Each structure stands twice: as C-alpha cells, then as structure tokens.
C-alpha cells in the first residue's frame, strides 16, 4: 500500500455510528414494531387506571407505591445479577433513567389528571415526547434531522399547539393547568427514553434500577409525610 493511501485512511474520519443510533433489521425490527404496539396499549391502560385512581379513595402515594415498589421486588434478583454492568453506566445516564420515568414523571402525570381529561394525557404525554426526544438528540448528540422527520415533527407541534390553545381559551375550567403538567411529564419521559437507549441495558435491568430507586424514594416520602 502506498504512503499516500495510508495517509488518506488515517485522515479519514470514522463513520461508525454508536450502538444506540443503529436501526434494527429483520426479525429484530419486526419484534420492535410489535413491542411498540403493545407499549401503546399499555400506555392507554396505564393512563386510564391513573385517572380512575386519582378519582378514588387512593392517594397519589398509594398509586406510586403500586407503580414502583411492587415491580422493584420482582426485578430485584435481575438487578442484583447485573449490578456491576449497571454501575458501569455513566451516572448521569442512570439518573436520567431513574428520574425520567420515576417520581417526577408520575406525580406530574397524576397532578395533570386533576385538571385535564385523560384524552389530553393520551395526546400530550406519549404524543409530544418525540418532539422533546428529537430536541435532545439534535442539541446534545448532534444527530441530523431529515426533511421527512422535520415535517412529521412540525405536524405534531401544530396539533399540540392547537390543543393547548383551546385549553387556554377554556381558562375557567383549568384544563390548561393539566396540559402543562402533561407537557412537563412528557419532557421527563423524553429524558428517560434517550438515556435508556444510550445505556444499552436489558429491560429487566433498566426496570430494576428505576423501580428500585423510585420505590425507596416513594416509601421514604410516604413515611415522612405521615
């Protein structure tokens, strides 16, 4: 190989993308799409259950304990087995996983249910976090934004703006307060989504660390508030 060829290869920047940016293919892609549809159904069920819970005799703490403490006990063995791998993840990424889908997200979602209907939660929480995820990916990780993706995000943004504007026009009902809570919850979930992808941990380990830490936080707050 000539010296000129060697210099070109050395000077050429690396085009290898990080693992979290790579798109799956084949069976993995099909399983991912199926998992996405199942996740949508879980989201819908969860939102309805939280709305019903906030209208019952259960407190927000009671709902949070069911949300985090029970899964923490189930996933604790998996977390214990992979503790060293979990601790190898940068602490800021773990913090995003723990807090993004943790107590802040849950209490913001529950607070929003006090003012706005569950249909607004379904539109604003899972519907707007693509906007926040993209903003974080572009600003922090310098990801490129294609024209098609930009058009899709603009369409989402227009729809969200119209919904929130109508809520502000109905200011006497306080629905706009719930919408703002939902948007804040969506931002928390976007942080969780980005950190989840970057961490690259198996689902059981992600769920274990998130539920475990938040379970301790909820239990501590419950004891302290009592």
């Amino acid at each position: 190989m000539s010296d000129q060829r060697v210099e070109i290869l050395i000077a050429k920047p690396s085009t290898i993308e990080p693992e979290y940016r790579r798109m799956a293919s084949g069976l993995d892609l099909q399983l991912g799409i199926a998992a996405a549809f199942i996740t949508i159904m879980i989201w819908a069920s969860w939102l309805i259950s939280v709305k019903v819970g906030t209208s019952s005799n259960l407190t927000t703490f009671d709902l949070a304990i069911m949300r985090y403490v029970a899964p923490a006990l189930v996933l604790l063995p998996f977390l214990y087995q992979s503790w060293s791998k979990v601790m190898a993840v940068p602490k800021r990424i773990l913090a995003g996983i723990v807090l993004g889908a943790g107590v802040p997200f849950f209490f913001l979602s529950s607070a929003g249910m006090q003012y706005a209907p569950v249909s607004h939660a379904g539109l604003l929480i899972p519907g707007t976090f693509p906007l926040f995820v993209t903003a974080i990916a572009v600003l922090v990780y310098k990801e490129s934004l294609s024209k098609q993706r930009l058009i899709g995000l603009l369409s989402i943004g227009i729809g969200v703006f119209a919904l929130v504007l109508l809520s502000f026009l109905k200011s006497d009902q306080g629905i706009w307060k719930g919408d703002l809570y939902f948007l804040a919850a969506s931002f928390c979930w976007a942080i969780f989504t980005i950190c989840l992808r970057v961490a690259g941990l198996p689902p059981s380990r992600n769920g274990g660390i998130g539920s475990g830490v938040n379970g301790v936080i909820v239990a501590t707050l419950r004891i302290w508030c009592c």
Side-chain angles (χ1 to χ4, degrees):
M1 183 179 294
S2 64
D3 294 340
Q4 184 179 3
R5 178 62 174 169
V6 172
E7 290 178 0
I8 293 175
L9 290 176
I10 294 176
K12 185 179 180 180
S14 175
T15 58
I16 299 176
E17 288 188 336
E19 183 67 26
Y20 68 88
R21 291 189 186 181
R22 298 179 188 176
M23 177 68 71
S25 60
L27 180 60
D28 289 338
L29 178 60
Q30 296 173 6
L31 291 175
I33 294 174
F37 279 106
I38 295 174
T39 301
I40 292 172
M41 292 187 286
I42 294 174
W43 262 108
S45 302
W46 180 78
L47 290 171
I48 293 174
S49 64
V50 171
K51 181 65 175 180
V52 172
T54 55
S55 304
S56 67
N57 293 328
L58 295 173
T59 66
T60 304
F61 280 113
D62 295 330
L63 297 173
I65 288 174
M66 289 188 290
R67 168 65 179 83
Y68 296 110
V69 175
L73 296 176
V74 174
L75 297 173
L76 183 60
F78 299 100
L79 180 62
Y80 177 78
Q81 291 175 359
S82 302
W83 183 252
S84 59
K85 293 182 180 179
V86 172
M87 289 296 99
V89 176
K91 297 304 181 287
R92 67 181 185 279
I93 301 299
L94 286 179
I97 293 175
V98 169
L99 298 178
V103 172
F105 166 79
F106 187 85
F107 276 84
L108 286 170
S109 302
S110 300
M113 295 289 185
Q114 304 290 336
Y115 300 98
V118 68
S119 59
H120 283 221
L123 289 170
L124 293 177
I125 298 178
T128 60
F129 79 73
L131 297 174
F132 294 121
V133 167
T134 301
I136 295 172
V138 171
L139 295 176
V140 178
Y141 294 98
K142 310 302 180 184
E143 289 192 6
S144 59
L145 189 61
S146 65
K147 182 179 179 181
Q148 292 81 1
R149 190 177 178 187
L150 180 60
I151 292 174
L153 293 172
L154 287 175
S155 301
I156 295 174
I158 292 172
V160 170
F161 177 78
L163 178 65
V164 176
L165 179 61
L166 290 175
S167 297
F168 271 101
L169 294 177
K170 299 179 180 179
S171 58
D172 57 320
Q173 300 181 23
I175 298 177
W176 62 272
K177 297 179 182 178
D179 288 350
L180 294 182
Y181 277 120
F182 294 149
L183 289 174
S186 179
F187 179 72
C188 290
W189 195 264
I191 294 175
F192 165 76
T193 302
I194 290 288
C195 293
L196 192 71
R197 187 70 182 270
V198 173
L201 293 172
S204 58
R205 279 63 173 178
N206 287 315
I209 188 66
S211 299
V213 174
N214 284 287
V216 172
I217 293 174
V218 169
T220 303
L221 290 174
R222 180 62 171 168
I223 295 173
W224 183 71
C225 291
C226 288

